[in-house]
Amino acid sequence: MEQTISKRAKGIAYLLMLVYFASYIMRINVAAMLVTIYTNMEITKTAISPVITGMTVFYGAGQIVNGVLGDKIKPKYMLTVGLFLAAACNVAMFCCGCVSFMQNVPCMTVVWCINGYAHAMLWPPIVRLLSANLTDAEYSYAAVRVSWGSSFGTILIYSLCPLLLGVMSWNWIILCLAAMGIAIAVIWILLYPKLFRRAPQTAMAEATATPASTPVKKALPLPAMVWVPIVLIFIGIVLQGMLRDGVTNWMPSFLLESFGMSEENAIFATVILAVFSIISFSVFDLLHRKVFRNEVTCSAVIFGGSTLFGLILYFANLWIPDDNAASVIVSMLLMAVIVACMHGINLMLITVVPKRFIKSGKVSTFSGLLNAGTYVGAAIATPLFAVFADNEKLGWSFTLLSWAIISALGAIVCLVIVPMWKKFRREYADAPDAIEPAGEVTEPVSEPMQEEA
């Protein structure tokens, strides 16, 4: 029987979705308008690349740092500071476009590196809040909706920015997005007390099924055997990041060079990836809840599906003439499905897996650590796929084949993890020890209201 999702859980899900949406519109905006920016500045692609590379490095490294801090600092503080710092960086980037002494790559790089770190303050506390406040059914519901925030943000940026560039400069667009981010931060501050405060008896009953007067158990140390599957899961996430960001970043170039599509249409085509990702979150969540209850097994199946679609994409581009309209449509759809599969992997390994560590009180730590793997993969894939595509002997044909190979490697890694992860869940994560995360409530509560997480 399906568990009912409470109004409070729905409120939490959509509020955090809005926060994640704000993160995306203030983080990917410069990348989406990069061609316009370096053209206006009269510099090369290579010269502007440190801005995006620096942001990616600081975002990935910041995930690890803020993951650890997220288990020691209250999530509401980290999220609030992260949102306002990101908005401030966007305002500073606006200044880089109109203040003479700031119109240079070093200044833009510093601003965007800080922006990357600011956004790294958001995901670990989001996962911690979801884990501490929701039941398993509510967590699955909320995880899908929070993930929608990234897709809605991507759709907004890649569909709206090309239109706005016809009537205003790139830096004014960034300023408008910063204003949206500030507005969402204010909404977060106003709604937080209503959604994350409740009677202690209700909170305890839902989260631990124990009376409010019963002391909450302390965190349980993790078994030593868990580190092997965690390392392998990290590798799987790196492979996922290579495909998710690598395919997304190079899809416009592939369409432009292989089919002669215009630059504007090739960039706009990226929107289809975000549309498919919205659908994929619900599909793969259902697959996980109804068929493959082990998230690592589910990831192996999804990687397997991506391998199949990658092979079809490879052979389709060998057999169908480039001037055939069907080839363009088939290629776009297959790339969209591959990226959608990677979003499914992301949901399983970066959103669901950290919840299994709630007994250790390290949900935020593992969330940040694992999420960093995505950006390690992105940092590897972007130059690697460029080398493949630019090589006369390899070209786009081998690049497409490499996507199938990477997917197959991901499936193999996940299959190796499955027995170890089953043992970890059976002996630790799913064992009947009802406890709260460390650092939360450690003694009976007498106040009329208790703050969650």
Side-chain angles (χ1 to χ4, degrees):
M1 182 178 179
E2 290 288 335
Q3 296 186 39
T4 303
I5 306 300
S6 68
K7 289 183 179 180
R8 175 176 176 272
K10 291 180 180 179
I12 289 174
Y14 286 106
L15 177 60
L16 292 178
M17 181 188 78
L18 194 61
V19 169
Y20 205 39
F21 168 82
S23 174
Y24 259 70
I25 65 172
M26 292 191 292
R27 177 159 60 90
I28 68 172
N29 47 16
V30 167
M33 298 184 289
L34 202 59
V35 173
T36 301
I37 294 172
Y38 70 70
T39 300
N40 288 353
M41 295 179 66
E42 299 181 346
I43 58 177
T44 64
K45 293 189 289 291
T46 302
I48 197 72
S49 62
V51 177
I52 303 301
T53 302
M55 191 277 291
T56 303
V57 170
F58 271 71
Y59 183 74
Q63 291 287 335
I64 299 174
V65 175
N66 290 308
V68 175
L69 292 177
D71 285 315
K72 304 178 184 299
I73 302 173
K74 288 188 175 182
K76 69 175 181 180
Y77 298 140
M78 288 194 69
L79 283 169
T80 302
V81 172
L83 284 173
F84 279 110
L85 180 58
C89 289
N90 275 254
V91 173
M93 185 59 82
F94 159 77
C95 295
C96 289
C98 57
V99 179
S100 58
F101 74 88
M102 296 181 69
Q103 293 177 359
N104 56 77
V105 172
C107 185
M108 295 171 68
T109 301
V110 170
V111 169
W112 225 231
C113 284
I114 298 172
N115 189 47
Y117 185 83
H119 289 285
M121 298 176 71
L122 304 179
W123 182 251
I126 284 176
V127 175
R128 184 181 171 193
L129 283 172
L130 295 178
S131 301
N133 289 276
L134 306 179
T135 65
D136 283 345
E138 290 172 342
Y139 186 93
S140 295
Y141 173 91
V144 171
R145 275 125 190 104
V146 171
S147 298
W148 284 353
S150 63
S151 300
F152 290 141
T154 301
I155 291 172
L156 177 72
I157 292 299
Y158 279 94
S159 59
L160 189 62
C161 287
L163 298 176
L164 292 179
L165 283 171
V167 296
M168 65 175 69
S169 63
W170 62 268
N171 58 310
W172 279 98
I173 295 175
I174 290 176
L175 183 63
C176 292
L177 294 170
M180 289 180 62
I182 293 171
I184 292 172
V186 172
I187 293 172
W188 155 256
I189 292 172
L190 294 176
L191 293 183
Y192 180 89
K194 180 179 179 180
L195 293 173
F196 292 96
R197 291 177 183 272
R198 54 180 174 170
Q201 290 82 1
T202 304
M204 289 291 191
E206 290 183 7
T208 66
T210 58
S213 60
T214 303
V216 179
K217 297 180 182 180
K218 293 184 178 180
L220 295 180
L222 286 165
M225 58 79 61
V226 75
W227 296 107
V228 175
I230 281 296
V231 170
L232 293 175
I233 286 174
F234 186 86
I235 293 173
I237 292 171
V238 170
L239 296 172
Q240 173 266 152
M242 291 180 68
L243 290 174
R244 194 196 72 175
D245 287 14
V247 175
T248 300
N249 290 341
W250 291 113
M251 178 180 175
S253 297
F254 170 71
L255 295 176
L256 188 150
E257 296 174 13
S258 298
F259 305 112
M261 186 178 289
S262 69
E263 185 176 296
E264 295 78 9
N265 289 336
I267 295 173
F268 188 76
T270 307
V271 173
I272 192 177
L273 303 181
V275 172
F276 268 66
S277 69
I278 294 174
I279 301 171
S280 73
F281 288 128
S282 298
V283 170
F284 292 125
D285 174 64
L286 187 65
L287 183 70
H288 175 235
R289 289 187 292 107
K290 299 295 185 180
V291 184
F292 302 104
R293 301 299 296 272
N294 184 312
E295 53 274 6
V296 178
T297 303
C298 191
S299 296
V301 172
I302 300 172
F303 265 128
S306 179
T307 303
L308 176 61
F309 293 123
L311 290 173
I312 295 174
L313 176 63
Y314 169 70
F315 286 112
N317 277 270
L318 285 181
W319 296 336
I320 303 177
D322 291 346
D323 57 355
N324 191 319
S327 183
V328 180
I329 296 172
V330 169
S331 295
M332 288 175 58
L333 290 176
L334 287 171
M335 284 189 285
V337 172
I338 291 172
V339 172
C341 286
M342 294 308 105
H343 281 292
I345 302 293
N346 188 289
L347 183 66
M348 295 300 113
L349 300 185
I350 297 178
T351 306
V352 177
V353 164
K355 189 178 188 299
R356 307 304 178 193
F357 296 95
I358 192 167
K359 291 182 177 182
S360 69
K362 302 294 182 183
V363 170
S364 180
T365 297
F366 283 100
S367 175
L369 174 65
L370 295 177
N371 199 20
T374 296
Y375 299 93
V376 172
I380 294 171
T382 301
L384 180 64
F385 293 159
V387 171
F388 289 165
D390 288 339
N391 187 285
E392 292 183 3
K393 294 183 179 180
L394 300 178
W396 280 111
S397 180
F398 181 80
T399 304
L400 301 182
L401 180 61
S402 73
W403 297 348
I405 294 172
I406 293 170
S407 297
L409 290 174
I412 293 170
V413 169
C414 287
L415 288 174
V416 171
I417 302 169
V418 168
M420 292 182 282
W421 196 248
K422 285 182 177 178
K423 181 179 179 181
F424 168 72
R425 285 191 55 179
R426 182 177 63 253
E427 297 180 0
Y428 184 88
D430 297 338
D433 298 286
I435 66 170
E436 285 288 316
E440 301 301 324
V441 183
T442 56
E443 56 185 348
V445 182
S446 56
E447 292 82 7
M449 297 293 281
Q450 172 200 349
E451 179 175 326
E452 294 299 308

